[in-house]
Amino acid sequence: MLDRQLFRTNLEAIRAGVARKHIDAPIDEVVRLDSDRRALLATLETKQAEMNRVSKEIGKLAAQGKKEEAEAAKAQTKTLKDEIAAGEREAREIDATLRAAELLVPNLPHESAPDGEGEADNVFVRDWGAQPAFPERPKPHWEVCESLRLVDFPRGAKIASSGFPVYTGWGARLQRGLISFMIDHQTLKNGYAEVYPPYMVNRASMIGTGNFPKFEEDVYRADDDLWLIPTAEVPVTNLYRDEILDGAELPLKLAAFSGCFRKEAGAAGKDTRGLLRVHEFDKVEMVKFTKPEESYDELESMTRDAESVLQALGLHYRVVNVCCGDMGFKGAKQYDLEVWAAGVGRYLEISSCSNFEAFQARRAGIRFRRAQGEKPEFVHILNGSGLACPRLFAAIVETFQQPDGSVSLPEPLRPYVGTDAIHPVGAG
């Protein structure tokens, strides 16, 4: 959520920033409601002052024996009291409507975020490693998974629906190994504190991270006020909702593994093969709470932390600075990591590392105090995938497939999976 004061002092900056994101937002409604609210509050203050003045006169008039004037003053205070009560009810209604409108206004992009309308306008930053060479055309991961019995897509669709894969045999061990390796890597090597959050959160948590109300259609509802999380970002960020943090403890760096659940309502028919776009998946998430002046340095650091997983696994990837039109609702600046998948012959987004500045903190009421007695300030919040499992699984299978049909495993994964390679059933 944006600072309400910004609508009053620099409305054109808001219009320009929202236009860069190519998002429709009720900016004029926010301005109108805020103006109505302030005018109403000013009226209520005037009436309250008048009621206080008249109330003081009642005793004086009674003491002077001016009974009729005293009764008239009592009637006036009752009228004012009723008008104030009605005005306060109206103010609460305006407050609720104003907040609902504010929640639909996106974050403003940072000046270093490139302009553009979509993925094609993202700006290349750097890459690492080289695309692997193969003597013959490499197979896509779904063919390798079928031949090695790593993932059972048909049975996943049978017991749930399409987009709910079942990992089997060595595939299940590889999936479990990836999770353990990545959470160990981010906590033991990169210095994040581990959190294991619940997989369900309430509406307040979804609002706090900016998922609601804008993206409610993409989330699975479990109960009247419980939703399955789309990412561990939601519960981890809300750990400190409505709290004031000690500035001496910033930055706070947290990493969490969780299952993730997404309807992908806006991506029907896109990337439906294999593991490229699923409704339930595993992911390690990184979240940082920082001082405002440090947040962009921390974004660079977080991006390197995500990259370090791909480097450890020997996977070729590239980093792009995401343009405003592709960035989405919450971010001020975002880097995407795109891993090369040889079998499908293209780069796959596998991590987004974003700085939300104070956008989420303002929605969730997360502040910090630089020193005792100082005024609390909103923290800056960042998050990034470190990493998402499905496309990482696919990239490993496609990158390290061998001519004999086996898949060699990157060395760091071998202790977690319990083998150096996955061979066809019956092979040595």
Side-chain angles (χ1 to χ4, degrees):
M1 190 163 63
L2 300 180
D3 186 350
R4 191 173 291 176
Q5 189 65 25
L6 192 61
F7 285 90
R8 304 167 186 169
T9 61
N10 201 348
L11 182 58
E12 290 310 308
I14 294 177
R15 293 193 191 281
V18 172
R20 290 181 69 200
K21 282 198 166 183
H22 303 276
I23 293 176
D24 292 328
I27 298 172
D28 291 334
E29 183 180 2
V30 171
V31 173
R32 176 182 61 80
L33 289 167
D34 182 44
S35 177
D36 291 348
R37 175 182 176 275
R38 287 189 291 159
L40 178 58
L41 292 178
T43 298
L44 290 175
E45 287 179 4
T46 300
K47 289 185 176 182
Q48 184 66 54
E50 178 65 9
M51 189 177 75
N52 292 341
R53 184 191 67 78
V54 175
S55 296
K56 291 179 181 179
E57 291 296 318
I58 294 173
K60 294 179 182 179
L61 292 169
Q64 296 171 3
K66 299 178 180 179
K67 185 176 181 181
E68 290 184 3
E69 289 91 335
E71 291 301 321
K74 289 180 182 179
Q76 186 180 358
T77 58
K78 183 181 185 307
T79 298
L80 287 168
K81 184 177 181 180
D82 291 343
E83 290 176 352
I84 290 170
E88 289 175 340
R89 288 193 296 271
E90 183 181 356
R92 287 193 293 270
E93 292 173 0
I94 292 176
D95 278 338
T97 307
L98 173 57
R99 179 170 173 80
E102 287 176 314
L103 292 177
L104 294 175
V105 178
N107 200 3
L108 304 183
H110 190 261
E111 59 185 12
S112 63
D115 288 324
E117 297 185 8
E119 184 178 347
D121 298 318
N122 294 341
V123 176
F124 173 84
V125 177
R126 59 181 173 269
D127 61 6
W128 185 90
Q131 294 182 9
F134 294 87
E136 298 180 357
R137 182 189 70 84
K139 296 178 180 179
H141 66 274
W142 53 84
E143 292 183 12
V144 180
C145 287
E146 181 179 7
S147 65
L148 295 179
R149 301 181 186 178
L150 304 181
V151 183
D152 194 329
F153 295 105
R155 286 190 171 91
K158 179 177 71 173
I159 62 177
S161 179
S162 61
F164 292 87
V166 175
Y167 296 88
T168 57
W170 284 107
R173 291 181 67 93
L174 175 56
Q175 176 78 350
R176 179 158 50 91
L178 279 172
I179 294 166
S180 297
F181 163 69
M182 289 191 294
I183 196 68
D184 282 353
H185 185 88
Q186 297 300 352
T187 56
L188 301 180
K189 181 175 180 180
N190 290 336
Y192 290 77
E194 185 171 357
V195 176
Y196 186 65
Y199 289 5
M200 294 186 187
V201 294
N202 54 32
R203 176 176 288 275
S205 294
M206 287 290 197
I207 290 173
T209 50
N211 296 79
F212 284 4
K214 184 74 172 176
F215 305 105
E216 190 165 342
E217 68 173 5
D218 285 329
V219 180
Y220 288 101
R221 188 170 187 166
D223 206 340
D224 288 345
D225 191 32
L226 283 176
W227 282 261
L228 291 169
I229 60 172
T231 165
E233 169 202 351
V234 180
V236 174
T237 300
N238 280 277
L239 286 173
Y240 301 107
R241 189 173 75 235
D242 298 324
E243 293 187 26
I244 299 176
L245 304 176
D246 182 352
E249 296 180 356
L250 299 181
L252 283 176
K253 300 170 53 177
L254 306 177
F257 154 74
S258 79
C260 305
F261 307 86
R262 299 181 187 177
K263 289 183 179 179
E264 297 283 6
K270 183 179 179 182
D271 290 336
T272 56
R273 296 295 302 271
L275 295 169
L276 299 186
R277 190 174 296 274
V278 293
H279 298 305
E280 178 180 351
F281 60 97
D282 297 318
K283 181 156 67 89
V284 171
E285 190 79 3
M286 303 174 290
V287 176
K288 287 186 179 182
F289 301 84
T290 79
K291 296 175 182 176
E293 67 272 18
E294 298 173 353
S295 66
Y296 279 95
D297 287 340
E298 292 295 340
L299 176 62
E300 300 297 326
S301 173
M302 173 178 279
T303 304
R304 291 193 296 271
D305 291 338
E307 290 180 72
S308 68
V309 175
L310 295 172
Q311 292 175 10
L313 297 176
L315 293 170
H316 169 61
Y317 67 91
R318 67 185 182 188
V319 180
V320 296
N321 188 359
V322 177
C323 74
C324 295
D326 193 37
M327 188 188 310
F329 186 78
K330 303 184 290 183
K333 184 173 183 178
Q334 174 181 325
Y335 291 116
D336 276 1
L337 276 59
E338 300 176 342
V339 67
W340 176 252
V344 297
R346 62 187 177 95
Y347 289 96
L348 303 175
E349 178 197 326
I350 197 168
S351 174
S352 292
C353 296
S354 304
N355 186 354
F356 304 122
E357 297 187 355
F359 188 76
Q360 290 183 324
R362 193 170 284 110
R363 295 168 75 108
I366 306 173
R367 298 177 293 169
F368 76 101
R369 203 186 304 272
R370 294 181 184 271
Q372 187 175 359
E374 292 194 13
K375 183 179 178 180
E377 305 172 44
F378 287 110
V379 298
H380 278 196
I381 300 175
L382 302 82
N383 89 280
S385 303
L387 304 162
C389 286
R391 293 182 176 184
L392 182 59
F393 190 109
I396 289 171
V397 167
E398 294 186 6
T399 297
F400 299 112
Q401 59 184 291
Q402 303 299 312
D404 65 357
S406 66
V407 171
S408 176
L409 295 181
E411 191 279 330
L413 283 182
R414 294 174 184 178
Y416 291 94
V417 182
T419 184
D420 60 354
I422 300 173
H423 298 276
V425 176

